[in-house]
Amino acid sequence: MAQNVLKAVDIKKSFTGVQALKGVTLEIRPGEIHCLAGENGSGKSTLIKVISGVYTPEGGHVEYDGKSYKKITPIEAILNGVQVIYQDFSIFPNLSVMENLAFNTELASKSKLVNKKRMRKIAEEAIDKIKFEVDLDAKVGELPVASKQLVAICRALMFNAKLIIMDEPTTALTRKEINALFKIILDLKAQGIAILFVSHKLDEVFEISERFTILRSGELVFKGNTKDLDDKKFSYYMTGREIQIEPFEPKLTKQTKMLEVKNLTLNGYFYDVSFSVSKGEILGISGILGSGRTELALSLFGIRVVDSGIIKINGKEVAINSPTVAMENGIGYVPEDRLTEGLFLQQSIGDNIIISEIDNLTGKFGILDERKQSEEIQKWVKELSIATPNPDNACNTLSGGNQQRVVLAKWLARDLKVLILNGPSVGVDIGSKYDIHHILKKLADSGLAIIIISDDIPEVMSLSSKILIMRDGKISNTFEPSETTIHEITAQMV
Amino acid sequence: MSIRLKKLLRHNEFYIFVVILLLSFLIQSRSGQFYTPNNIVDIIAALIVPGLFAIGAFMVIVSGGIDISFPALASLSIYTTTRILVDIDYQGGILLPLVLTIIFGAVLGAVNGFLISRFKLQPLIVTLGVASMFRGFMQGVLKSVQIAVIPKGMSEFGTSSLFVAKNMETGLTSRMPTAIIILIITLVVVYFILNHTMYGRGLYAIGGNEISAERAGFNVKRIKFFLYVMVGIISSLAGLIRVSMMTQCHPTNMLGMEMMIIAGVVLGGVAITGGAGTLKGCMLGTILIIIVQNSLILMGIPTFWQGFFLGMLIIVGTGVSALQVKRLNSPKKGKGGDKYA
């Protein structure tokens, strides 16, 4: 059997007393597609930095092609064929594709002067390796995300790479771009280059990986073939607890229509959209990036005012032309990027929870009533089990999942009729994700109408009582979750 | 051809150039005094010192930093040089003063470079503090006073000229100072460094993304350190020329120039966030500021309006490019619509 391209044995590393890696072993064979998974804080980034020479491990050793190292510098890692493509791609947005590609080689050869001719040749050879067509004089900052990633891949290939490590490679890509990327990766595999994906969720990477290594709290919990792994086992290894995925069955049936829209149109984004959500229902809306799903949500919340169509709340027609009107009519919206759009991160958890109902928490003369406030805060911290020792702590001390709960609490503190969530579990790890799902199901059963917008198909499947697929700004299909499969939905999206 | 034109239209340098032309035509039509040999020479002579300062400020801004200590640095460096030479009663040519200012400039620039590269401190804070220290050192420790008579070598260099331009109508004459050679040499050297050496591309790379630059293998610390050393040298040369041309050394004469210089650089299309901009743009921006300063008088506009016009130029000039960037980044509503039509 061929020797491993990389073998990290019994790696130990700690930071100021916290043991980030407690004796982890990772083996990568030539030309294999391997996935390193783990929740945030499981130690996967630390492990990557150890094998690429950024961190020196306190215990264990790393072998490249059988050569053993106790201590590695980044240069040694590169010379041994290890290349890391970080999530931000490490590119220079202000410089040309040519310079981005040629810098590393030019610097490695210690040239002092710029030789445009030689740099162009280097760049041409680099893009030729994956048949990537791009204007070498274009500024990288002006290219689409997928092309930026390809620039980074081309650059990685230039050093006779034997192992390319990719950190969350599919996060910012559309399905079509992901397929293109996978084709390139299979090409690389055919050339004998091993690929290591680093991911904190079970996503597209799953389709293409052959072997998995899963870390939890700095320890190795699973090592083996992808075919021995299913959703349930994966979740268990990632979180360390059994997670039961049960499809959502609304307890409240035959209820009044809470939100009804007819022929909604926002020119350039979506056309003729009609649907309704009843009390106790969870409606899932899915579609690829650019299908109009996000704009639809923004229109329902009054951020982008529709050009034509009717919106009815509880049977009454309303013109939603600003978020204030939407809120007055009992609509709440949890944005996709909750960190920049939904929360005041520097402010306390408590203040974030009561911000949307602050007008109701006043005493005489409109002065804020502190007792009322703290009662309200305590209620929601308990209700949504937000993990914090003290609600006076700043919001940014919480993990992604708990921040999401604070955003939820903020809206639930108001008397809501319809709650719209855009990407309810983006950037949240599996454990928290299922907790959030559980909360949402409970809320629906207590009488709320919920709309979730997500491109995470398994999430939509397990959460919704009805699924709408958007394509090119139109509703292309409607599904009952019990009567469809993930593959059918995915096929409908592109 | 049309692609070329489009490219041209996207560059800030082009607009600055147009503004300079329009302004010069306006001044010419109002006074008839702009396109005269002596006025052109005057403007070029007035450009030497601010031009050198602007080159230094430009290099720092490209790297993503900012330097506001260069007038104080130049003052301290040239004051020390002049003081020493006067005290030893130096009678030689310009060579020794030149060497001394370069050494002092390098040493003082190294203070900035050391603090910024070694401790990764914010350049704005470091240079603000260093500027204050240099001023204090000069006035407190060196007990700086005006030096009315500077060494002969320096004043001869400052007053010597390459040629004299004469306005045939008015009979006014203007000299083209020999010091222009220093500006030209500096421009050529810096242009070469920025565009044809890996060091120069490294400055742009750091301005674009410092972490990526480190990962790519640029020695970021060393690049930054030598950047501030170089800027120290260039600024000190500006100080030497200023003192030589004025034939006296006034310790506080250059202080306060930093804002106008940085404004000129930014006006020339150099991104204040780093990574983008050209030497050409930097020079055009500085020329525009010099013309406004020197030529409003020709139009009979009182000098106290200068500040007003400069401020307006800066806001309009930088505002337009900021709006352009914003428009490029915002989604285009009309374009998406075609798909569904």
Side-chain angles (χ1 to χ4, degrees):
Chain A
M1 199 193 116
Q3 212 165 20
N4 289 321
V5 244
L6 174 110
K7 193 172 170 189
V9 185
D10 201 23
I11 301 294
K12 292 192 182 82
K13 175 80 189 167
S14 61
F15 298 100
T16 55
V18 182
Q19 190 89 28
L21 291 174
K22 305 167 187 165
V24 172
T25 299
L26 174 71
E27 284 168 24
I28 294 165
R29 298 173 191 152
E32 81 165 341
I33 302 175
H34 196 113
C35 181
L36 174 65
E39 302 205 302
N40 294 327
S42 60
K44 56 187 190 323
S45 317
T46 314
L47 182 59
I48 295 311
K49 287 189 173 154
V50 168
I51 55 186
S52 59
V54 180
Y55 292 156
T56 308
E58 284 142 19
H61 67 276
V62 180
E63 286 173 22
Y64 303 108
D65 272 334
K67 274 178 287 171
S68 176
Y69 291 84
K70 277 252 177 244
K71 222 177 131 178
I72 330 119
T73 63
I75 299 295
E76 279 171 333
I78 290 171
L79 291 176
N80 278 294
V82 176
Q83 283 286 331
V84 185
I85 297 176
Y86 293 94
Q87 218 174 343
D88 65 358
F89 309 141
S90 282
I91 44 168
F92 304 105
N94 56 328
L95 299 176
S96 68
V97 175
M98 179 181 85
E99 285 188 304
N100 268 279
L101 288 170
F103 270 165
N104 298 43
T105 316
E106 288 292 282
L107 286 166
S109 69
K110 301 221 184 303
S111 358
K112 293 274 177 265
L113 297 182
V114 174
N115 183 335
K116 288 246 165 81
K117 231 164 133 187
R118 191 172 62 211
M119 282 172 84
R120 185 166 290 274
K121 210 173 138 241
I122 293 170
E124 274 166 0
E125 277 171 18
I127 58 171
D128 207 42
K129 278 191 181 154
I130 59 167
K131 308 261 179 308
F132 172 37
E133 276 170 30
V134 66
D135 175 11
L136 286 178
D137 296 314
K139 270 191 190 159
V140 170
E142 288 161 10
L143 299 177
V145 185
S147 304
K148 285 180 189 157
Q149 188 176 41
L150 292 179
V151 169
I153 292 176
C154 290
R155 193 176 55 188
L157 287 173
M158 291 161 52
F159 287 86
N160 297 321
K162 289 180 199 139
L163 168 65
I164 296 181
I165 302 170
M166 301 180 83
D167 194 1
E168 304 282 3
T170 55
T171 314
L173 302 187
T174 65
R175 185 66 232 187
K176 222 167 144 186
E177 290 167 336
I178 290 170
N179 289 344
L181 173 68
F182 283 177
K183 231 181 108 206
I184 289 167
I185 283 172
L186 291 174
D187 261 9
L188 297 179
K189 177 186 159 63
Q191 295 171 30
I193 297 169
I195 310 283
L196 176 65
F197 287 123
V198 184
S199 183
H200 74 276
K201 52 184 185 185
L202 184 70
D203 60 359
E204 295 86 1
V205 168
F206 196 73
E207 297 167 21
I208 192 174
S209 302
E210 296 157 326
R211 291 207 306 143
F212 256 80
T213 297
I214 301 178
L215 302 185
R216 187 188 339 127
S217 318
E219 278 172 277
L220 180 73
V221 289
F222 176 85
K223 192 173 78 170
N225 294 327
T226 308
K227 60 176 189 291
D228 302 329
L229 209 57
D230 57 25
D231 284 16
K232 221 173 128 186
K233 278 190 196 155
F234 182 78
S235 310
Y236 173 71
Y237 287 128
M238 293 279 279
T239 60
R241 51 184 174 147
E242 292 279 0
I243 286 167
Q244 288 296 336
I245 309 167
E246 289 157 1
F248 175 58
E249 280 163 22
K251 291 209 174 58
L252 304 168
T253 46
K254 298 208 179 72
Q255 294 286 329
T256 44
K257 284 178 180 167
M258 209 42 139
L259 172 78
E260 199 179 353
V261 304
K262 269 196 190 130
N263 305 85
L264 228 48
T265 297
L266 176 65
N267 286 326
Y269 295 103
F270 57 82
Y271 298 89
D272 252 348
V273 171
S274 304
F275 62 86
S276 66
V277 201
S278 306
K279 230 173 153 175
E281 229 187 351
I282 300 180
L283 174 71
I285 300 180
S286 196
I288 58 169
L289 218 65
S291 62
R293 55 186 172 131
T294 299
E295 288 75 16
L296 177 62
L298 294 176
S299 290
L300 292 175
F301 191 56
I303 294 174
R304 278 174 176 265
V305 182
V306 289
D307 294 315
S308 64
I310 296 168
I311 302 176
K312 281 184 184 170
I313 304 279
N314 217 352
K316 205 177 87 210
E317 194 179 325
V318 281
I320 294 182
N321 48 24
S322 76
T324 322
V325 175
M327 279 158 72
E328 277 165 10
N329 282 290
I331 300 177
Y333 176 64
V334 178
E336 191 167 24
D337 191 353
R338 62 181 177 278
L339 300 182
T340 58
E341 293 177 26
L343 284 177
F344 304 100
L345 285 175
Q346 318 295 330
Q347 304 279 335
S348 77
I349 297 163
D351 286 348
N352 270 288
I353 292 176
I354 57 167
I355 180 75
S356 61
E357 55 157 350
I358 200 138
D359 293 341
N360 304 329
L361 297 176
T362 51
K364 273 180 201 165
F365 313 117
I367 292 165
L368 289 172
D369 185 332
E370 279 194 27
R371 203 173 46 85
K372 265 196 215 167
Q373 283 184 33
S374 76
E375 274 171 14
E376 192 70 17
I377 292 166
Q378 288 304 334
K379 182 180 137 198
W380 290 110
V381 168
K382 219 177 120 202
E383 188 100 336
L384 299 178
S385 48
I386 296 166
T388 176
N390 186 350
D392 288 338
N393 287 351
C395 230
N396 55 14
T397 60
L398 293 175
S399 69
N402 277 302
Q403 284 178 358
Q404 186 72 311
R405 283 176 222 192
V406 173
V407 183
L408 274 179
K410 179 177 116 180
W411 285 111
L412 297 174
R414 288 181 75 90
D415 193 14
L416 275 191
K417 293 194 182 84
V418 182
L419 179 63
I420 305 165
L421 297 106
N422 195 355
S425 51
V426 171
V428 166
D429 49 35
I430 296 185
S432 303
K433 180 169 158 181
Y434 288 104
D435 290 343
I436 288 167
H437 287 186
H438 186 69
I439 293 171
L440 290 177
K441 287 174 184 173
K442 227 170 72 185
L443 287 170
D445 287 338
S446 69
L448 197 64
I450 297 177
I451 300 175
I452 58 162
I453 291 162
S454 172
D455 56 1
D456 181 346
I457 309 296
E459 167 168 69
V460 176
M461 294 273 288
S462 73
L463 205 50
S464 322
S465 43
K466 194 165 75 187
I467 301 170
L468 302 181
I469 305 296
M470 284 188 81
R471 200 164 108 189
D472 292 343
K474 288 183 176 138
I475 292 184
S476 66
N477 243 314
T478 311
F479 290 108
E480 295 280 334
S482 52
E483 293 162 3
T484 184
T485 60
I486 291 180
H487 292 289
E488 193 181 354
I489 293 185
T490 318
Q492 286 294 330
M493 279 168 65
V494 280
Chain B
M1 180 66 198
S2 74
I3 293 172
R4 228 187 199 172
L5 193 72
K6 255 188 197 160
K7 253 189 173 167
L8 196 68
L9 288 176
R10 276 181 56 191
H11 282 172
N12 230 8
E13 290 96 326
F14 176 72
Y15 293 100
I16 291 289
F17 187 66
V18 171
V19 171
I20 292 175
L21 277 184
L22 289 178
L23 186 65
S24 67
F25 289 144
L26 184 72
I27 298 167
Q28 176 70 12
S29 69
R30 289 289 300 269
S31 67
Q33 293 293 313
F34 190 87
Y35 286 107
T36 55
N38 70 312
N39 188 50
I40 300 285
V41 168
D42 274 344
I43 287 175
I44 295 172
L47 179 70
I48 300 174
V49 172
L52 281 169
F53 278 142
I55 295 170
F58 163 71
M59 290 171 80
V60 177
I61 292 174
V62 161
S63 81
I66 186 105
D67 183 357
I68 50 172
S69 68
F70 57 85
L73 187 150
S75 301
L76 177 55
S77 154
I78 189 59
Y79 183 80
T80 315
T81 305
T82 317
R83 182 86 271 161
I84 290 171
L85 293 177
V86 168
D87 286 355
I88 63 168
D89 196 21
Y90 175 70
Q91 295 296 331
I94 188 67
L95 202 64
L96 182 64
L98 202 60
V99 170
L100 277 181
T101 29
I102 287 177
I103 292 172
F104 284 129
V107 170
L108 296 176
V111 175
N112 276 332
F114 178 72
L115 291 171
I116 291 166
S117 66
R118 179 68 203 273
F119 301 109
K120 294 196 170 175
L121 299 176
Q122 285 292 323
L124 178 68
I125 308 296
V126 169
T127 53
L128 193 68
V130 163
S132 189
M133 270 168 49
F134 285 173
R135 261 198 320 267
F137 188 81
M138 194 164 53
Q139 287 161 354
V141 180
L142 302 180
K143 307 257 180 293
S144 62
V145 286
Q146 191 173 342
I147 304 172
V149 181
I150 60 170
K152 206 171 79 218
M154 282 166 71
S155 52
E156 270 173 6
F157 167 74
T159 50
S160 69
S161 53
L162 294 178
F163 59 85
V164 176
K166 192 171 177 198
N167 186 338
M168 292 309 170
E169 285 171 41
T170 58
L172 290 171
T173 57
S174 298
R175 298 175 304 102
M176 177 63 85
T178 314
I180 187 76
I181 294 171
I182 293 186
L183 176 65
I184 293 169
I185 293 174
T186 311
L187 273 172
V188 171
V189 169
V190 171
Y191 180 85
F192 181 79
I193 291 176
L194 285 178
N195 294 292
H196 295 285
T197 67
M198 285 309 279
Y199 178 90
R201 300 321 288 167
L203 282 180
Y204 277 93
I206 293 172
N209 188 338
E210 191 170 332
I211 296 167
S212 303
E214 215 158 306
R215 285 180 188 152
F218 284 108
N219 189 335
V220 173
K221 271 184 192 169
R222 199 164 64 197
I223 291 177
K224 278 191 175 178
F225 178 78
F226 284 111
L227 165 67
Y228 287 94
V229 171
M230 253 191 294
V231 171
I233 293 173
I234 295 172
S235 306
S236 292
L237 286 175
L240 174 71
I241 294 171
R242 174 86 163 197
V243 166
S244 302
M245 282 169 71
M246 285 172 64
T247 65
Q248 51 171 293
C249 181
H250 195 289
T252 57
N253 179 278
M254 284 180 288
L255 301 182
M257 277 176 85
E258 61 272 11
M259 282 308 140
M260 189 199 76
I261 299 292
I262 292 170
V265 173
V266 174
L267 206 50
V270 179
I272 195 82
T273 45
T278 62
L279 203 53
K280 205 169 22 180
C282 150
M283 278 296 120
L284 285 172
T286 311
I287 289 173
L288 181 57
I289 287 203
I290 300 291
I291 292 179
V292 171
Q293 281 191 329
N294 282 33
S295 305
L296 284 181
I297 301 169
L298 292 181
M299 288 169 69
I301 296 170
T303 46
F304 48 77
W305 279 100
Q306 266 182 26
F308 178 82
F309 279 114
L310 280 178
M312 209 173 68
L313 260 180
I314 290 163
I315 292 173
V316 173
T318 53
V320 165
S321 58
L323 282 179
Q324 262 177 338
V325 170
K326 215 170 149 189
R327 216 175 33 217
L328 273 175
N329 291 340
S330 68
K332 289 163 199 87
K333 205 173 174 179
K335 203 176 155 196
D338 305 317
K339 231 182 351 189
Y340 312 111

